[in-house]
Each structure stands twice: as structure tokens, then as C-alpha cells.
Amino acid sequence: MFLAPKKIDWYIFKKFMGTFIVSILLIIVIVIIFDVSEKIDDFVAKKAPLNSIIFDYYLNFIPYFINMYSPMFVFITVIIFTSKMASNSEIIAILSGGISFHRLMVPYLVAASLVAGLSMALNIYVIPTSNKEKIKFEQKYMKQKPKKAARNIHYQVSPGQFVYAESFSSWNNTAYRFTIENIKDSKLVSKISAETAVYDTLGGYWTLNKYFVRDFNDDLTDNIRSGRKLDTVLALNHRDFYFTESAVTALTYDELNEMIRRLSMRGDANVKFALIEKNTRFSLPFSAFILTIMGVALSSRKRRGGIGWNLALGIGLAFTYILFMRFSQMFVHTDVLSPAVALWLPNMVFAVIALVLYRMAPK
């Protein structure tokens, strides 16, 4: 059968996966060494236990690192061993043996599928859980940037219910000049104003201090009442006032969708971070196919300079791709493109480049 595995398929598959795994392991060791040297002062100052450093931080750091840089290592892996095969005339021998260039791509694409599947599994199942543990460690044992004061916050916390706070203090979980507006059929039906609103982290409710309540009637009259304290439950907690970009990386797929729904309802601009994270989780794995095809097309021809030129070109294109993915996020924040288009744009552009190079390679 045309697609039945042959010795050459296993040979290329083992070369691909072996080189990929070794290169990933080597760079992980190097990165951890540099990271330890950078953060050792924090570990010592905060008296972080060795087992926490190893198992809570670095063991959870590794999946994120593997997934983030897997496109670059896939490309470099293909460039290295395919260039070596070409320089040893192995590619010429394979093609001369009656195997077409298209058939030669089969083991490459099978290996790329395995890498893409691994990346997808890490994105959906492993990394959110590992990031939760890593963030907990960082908050406990590493220096944190001071939080900027949250000011002039407007949220729709549930359909028809809007909240405003002039400022929020994380020191005592208190919102100042706090208002709650309830709107029905485009009409304001009630408004609660309070000097302060304190969030009870144990009870999960807000205590309004020195509050005024105005209930608006259909005949344009209103009823006003006031008091010193009023407890109320809102679909809002103290953490919502300090949204961080890293928070979305610790959410499971279902939690991420729920956050997108909630932030979209509130009109919160931070929904962009959640949409970027969601699209990245799916667009990144597909890069394994694009960069594999591109790598084979670039390195399958024997060159006078050996693998040096291929390797330099491969590293340059891999970094260009990663930078393009990062740069495309700017299009989301500037409202030039939607998150789906912006995050898939690098794949679309490089897919065209890969197709052109692939069509030229057999020649």
C-alpha cells in the first residue's frame, strides 16, 4: 500500500522525534540554569523550600516552555537532520529509489501530527493546571510588581445590573464611591449609592457603608431610603478589579469560555486577553505542520555550504514566525483585527510561504 510504513518512514520518524526531544531537553536545562541564577536571590530571601522550587515551580514551568517554543524547535529539528541527510546524499538516494517527494513527506507529517497533538493536549489539559501551581509559587516566594490602583471601573455584572466604583483598594478589598444601577426595559428602576463597599472574602458578599437607595416608579416618582450598612451579593468579587494577563493562562478551556462570556457581558476590555489565549491554544499546534513542510522544502537540497546556511535560515525564519505571532497580538489590542483573525494570521501567511517553497522543492 502507498501509505504502508516502510523502513525509510521509521528512519525519518525516529530522526525527527529523536532530534526534537534531545534539542528540547538541552534547551530546557540551559533555560533552567539561567532562570535559577536570576531568581536565586528571591528564593533565598523568601526561604523557598527546595522541593517547592523543583516540583511547584520548575516542574510546572517545563510544560509551558515546551509548548511555547515547540514551533521553533520543530523547524530547527527538521532543518538539522534533513540538511544532514541531504549532505550525505540520502535524499537523492531516496528519490532515485522511486519514492516521490510527496511520499517522502508522509513520515514528516506523521511526526508533526504527534507534536501538534502533544501541544494541543498541553494547552487544554496540562498547562492550565500547571500554571495555577506556578502562579501560587510566584505569589508566595517571588517579588511581585506593585498593583496599580484600579480607578473608574464600570461593569455590567449581570443582565441589566451595572456597577461603578471610583477606586478600589486591594489592601482592604474596599471600593470607594460605589454605585449599583438596575435597568429594566431601558429604564432605570433602582440605584444604590454607597461611600464604600467592602468585599467579604469568606462570605462572598459586599457590605455597603453609608448607603442610599432610590427606587424609581412608573409615575416618575421615587422612594429614597438610607442606612449605615447593607449586605448584598453581586456577580463580582475583589479579584475582578485586578485582572492580570497571566490569569487567563491558568484557566481550563471551560473556565476560559466562561470568563470570555462574563467579560463580554461586562464590556470589560480585558476580554481581549482571554480571546487571545483561547485562539493561541488552537493556532499554535497547527504551526507544527506549516513549519515542518517549510523546513523540508528548505533543507532537502544539497548545498555547498553544508547545513550551516540551512540552519541559519531556519533559525531566522523560526524567530520571525514567533515574533510575528507576538506582534499579531498588537492588532487585537489596537482593534485593527479580531482575535481569531490576528492569531491565525501568522499561520495563514507562513502557510502560503510553505506552499510556495514546497512546490519549488522537487525542482
Side-chain angles (χ1 to χ4, degrees), residues 16 70-71 74 108-109 111-113 115-116 283-293 321 347:
F16 190 125
S70 61
V74 164
Y108 283 97
L109 294 178
S113 300
V115 174
S283 64
L284 190 65
F286 280 92
S287 64
F289 298 102
I290 297 170
L291 296 179
T292 294
I293 294 171
Y321 175 79
N347 280 347

Side-chain angles (χ1 to χ4, degrees), residues 123-139:
N123 270 330
I124 296 176
Y125 301 109
V126 179
I127 292 177
T129 303
S130 64
N131 276 347
K132 286 179 182 177
E133 298 301 319
K134 185 168 72 74
I135 291 171
K136 287 180 184 177
F137 179 91
E138 290 172 343
Q139 291 173 342

